[in-house]
Amino acid sequence: MTRLAQTLGLTEFQTEIVSTVRQFVDKEVIPTAQELEHSDTYPQAIVDQMKEMGLFGLMIPEEYGGLGESLLTYALCVEELARGWMSVSGVINTHFIVAYMIRQHGTDAQKQKFLPRMATGETRGAFSMSEPELGSDIAAIRTRAIKQSNGDYVIDGQKMWLTNGGSSTLVATLVRTDEGADKPHRNLTAFLVEKPTGFGEVVAGLTIPGKLDKLGYKGIDTTELIFDGYRAAADDVLGGVTGQGFFQMMDGVEVGRVNVSARACGVGIRAFELAVRYAQQRQTFGRPIAEHQAVAFQLAEMATKVEAAHLMMVNAARLKDSGERNDVAAGMAKYLASEFCSEVTQQSFRIHGGYGYSKEYEIERLMRDAPFLLIGEGTSEIQKNIISKRLLSDYRI
Ligand SMILES: Cc1cc2nc3c(=O)[nH]c(=O)nc-3n(C[C@H](O)[C@H](O)[C@H](O)COP(=O)(O)OP(=O)(O)OC[C@H]3O[C@@H](n4cnc5c(N)ncnc54)[C@H](O)[C@@H]3O)c2cc1C
């Protein structure tokens, strides 16, 4: 039997962990996702099991207590999790980006302090660049950190759209420090901000107002963050050097884009699975709708899109794992996988006829989750900007 989204050349460990996550998703996530999503309930029991499985430390080096696995292993696990419920993959997404940035750019002291606790899931990361006035145009960030005479910083400003804003305990946030550089992005610095979980003024000068009410991607908390005279120490600057934040965050976003592609693959696979099953059960005009060529062709198109997205995602992950820059490959994978995911969920919805519009059917949730993938970690337009700029430079005449 032809199964979609197979990956050749995996190690024994990769095959084992991906299959363990798949079984976990079939047994624990798919049966509960619908109810938790509709009641917008945080999937605590699922998250606890993910901690036990070591998923929070998947890419954290073994010397810090993680599993030291590759981006590819991580992405394949995310694909499986998102196949069950996109919100569950969102719980580890920002955590993984922050751990990656600390691993790549943190000082030794920051690695020692955070990575072991992040590997167990005791410390949980959130990633904050966006503000109410900006998301794509990161260089325009307004939140400001002003250096004090004792070397500390005072941060003021408002951040927007923090995935895991309330449930995280470590926020990597990008703010303006005004280094006097002529290029705006060189005036930005990443701070590692520790805080307790919860809502309200959780530490002096730092408020998480509450959960934003969203179209989909429910269960998981997405919040604002308000800095009002928040004091950060010089040691909280990622890597200990100011003015490097933009590059550090963009490095994080690059692996994050592979992760979003993997999520799009997972949601697309599930949409296909639901459609191919329903098309064989639902009868019209005396036969299963799968026997009407128009429906069978939809299935063929969906499967081809799922397969293409998976291959692009795997290619982008492998490129990063090989040590090569993967901005174009990650941008292409993110762009293609999220657009295809949107199309595939729409096709699956149509195959479900009227039942696709019912909250009893899973496809309804996928239809609300998929649009986020077109936006998160940079919209499709931003991916096309990145891809075309590099192509015009590489193919310059
Ligand atoms: C559920 C959710 C969770 C999120 N989680 C996080 C998070 O954890 N951390 C975080 O920092 N952010 C997060 N975001 C924010 C997300 O990254 C931004 O929404 C996204 O980058 C787009 O920014 P924007 O919403 O400000 O849109 P804008 O930048 O205002 O863009 C609006 C429209 O204009 C287009 N556009 C903008 N500039 C250009 C251009 N130069 N060329 C062509 N078209 C352009 C865009 O493609 C888009 O269609 C999240 C968002 C959502 C919805």
Side-chain angles (χ1 to χ4, degrees):
M1 184 180 176
T2 305
R3 285 264 169 206
L4 294 181
Q6 299 294 305
T7 316
L8 294 178
L10 296 183
T11 63
E12 218 171 284
F13 179 77
Q14 285 175 319
T15 309
E16 191 188 310
I17 188 150
V18 173
S19 121
T20 306
V21 174
R22 189 181 182 88
Q23 285 166 29
F24 165 70
V25 164
D26 284 336
K27 191 160 164 269
E28 307 290 344
V29 181
I30 290 178
T32 51
Q34 227 29 16
E35 198 184 323
L36 291 170
E37 205 265 355
H38 286 161
S39 58
D40 203 2
T41 305
Y42 190 78
Q44 191 59 54
I46 293 174
V47 173
D48 289 344
Q49 289 176 78
M50 282 159 58
K51 267 190 204 168
E52 270 173 40
M53 291 163 77
L55 294 183
F56 285 92
L58 206 50
M59 263 190 87
I60 294 177
E62 284 171 298
E63 60 180 303
Y64 299 108
L67 294 174
E69 271 299 311
S70 61
L71 179 58
L72 177 62
T73 315
Y74 176 81
L76 293 175
C77 290
V78 164
E79 185 180 57
E80 295 297 342
L81 291 173
R83 180 183 148 264
W85 183 14
M86 192 179 84
S87 297
V88 168
S89 66
V91 172
I92 56 171
N93 169 37
T94 58
H95 177 85
F96 139 82
I97 297 180
V98 176
Y100 172 83
M101 290 198 309
I102 294 174
R103 188 188 95 180
Q104 294 299 107
H105 306 289
T107 61
D108 278 345
Q110 286 167 345
K111 289 180 199 173
Q112 298 291 349
K113 181 175 177 189
F114 295 118
L115 292 181
R117 286 198 268 138
M118 294 187 88
T120 59
E122 181 196 339
T123 292
R124 299 261 301 282
F127 173 85
S128 171
M129 294 199 298
S130 303
E131 297 187 356
E133 313 281 327
L134 62 102
S136 309
D137 187 8
I138 294 303
I141 276 177
R142 295 177 178 188
T143 299
R144 195 171 240 109
I146 306 226
K147 196 167 187 174
Q148 309 296 296
S149 52
N150 68 352
D152 283 357
Y153 290 83
V154 171
I155 307 183
D156 287 291
Q158 190 174 348
K159 290 291 184 183
M160 185 72 188
W161 297 118
L162 273 84
T163 303
N164 300 308
S167 51
S168 59
T169 52
L170 178 66
V171 183
T173 187
L174 192 61
V175 305
R176 178 166 300 287
T177 42
D178 292 328
E179 308 294 312
D182 48 0
K183 297 224 164 100
H185 55 275
R186 291 190 184 275
N187 290 314
L188 299 176
T189 296
F191 280 84
L192 297 172
V193 173
E194 283 189 274
K195 67 167 189 67
T197 58
F199 301 99
E201 188 170 0
V202 286
V203 279
L206 192 163
T207 300
I208 307 281
K211 276 169 73 163
L212 299 168
D213 196 10
K214 309 177 297 265
L215 170 70
Y217 203 25
K218 290 188 182 273
I220 183 170
D221 46 304
T222 307
T223 71
E224 295 166 77
L225 184 162
I226 297 161
F227 289 113
D228 184 9
Y230 174 79
R231 285 194 93 87
D235 286 349
D236 299 338
V237 171
L238 177 64
V241 187
T242 55
Q244 296 300 309
F246 182 82
F247 306 101
Q248 295 163 338
M249 293 296 227
M250 287 303 123
D251 189 23
V253 165
E254 215 167 282
V255 289
R257 285 184 180 142
V258 175
N259 168 77
V260 174
S261 320
R263 290 156 85 179
C265 291
V267 174
I269 291 167
R270 187 66 188 155
F272 172 79
E273 286 173 355
L274 296 173
V276 79
R277 188 176 65 199
Y278 188 81
Q280 292 170 84
Q281 292 167 338
R282 180 73 174 174
Q283 306 257 343
T284 65
F285 303 95
R287 51 188 165 141
I289 57 171
E291 288 180 21
H292 300 301
Q293 195 181 51
V295 174
F297 278 16
Q298 292 279 334
L299 294 172
E301 280 176 26
M302 291 162 75
T304 307
K305 287 173 187 170
V306 164
E307 197 64 5
H310 176 82
L311 291 171
M312 294 271 291
M313 179 274 285
V314 167
N315 177 56
R318 284 197 159 131
L319 202 60
K320 188 74 179 178
D321 286 333
S322 73
E324 293 286 322
R325 179 116 207 253
N326 81 335
D327 56 342
V328 171
M332 285 178 169
K334 198 268 164 180
Y335 164 49
L336 182 116
S338 59
E339 294 286 349
F340 275 1
C341 173
S342 214
E343 291 172 21
V344 167
T345 47
Q346 175 77 232
Q347 286 175 294
S348 179
F349 162 74
R350 286 171 187 242
I351 286 175
H352 280 77
Y355 290 104
Y357 211 63
S358 158
K359 281 190 151 189
E360 269 183 47
Y361 282 71
E362 214 178 314
I363 188 60
E364 168 270 340
R365 167 166 55 82
L366 307 191
M367 280 284 288
R368 288 183 291 105
D369 281 349
F372 167 64
L373 298 162
L374 300 168
I375 306 287
E377 311 288 356
T379 62
S380 290
E381 289 71 31
I382 294 306
Q383 307 312 316
K384 286 190 258 187
N385 272 344
I386 295 168
I387 298 164
S388 57
K389 266 190 195 147
R390 269 296 287 278
L391 291 176
L392 285 168
S393 152
D394 289 351
Y395 285 79
R396 190 179 301 282
I397 51 170

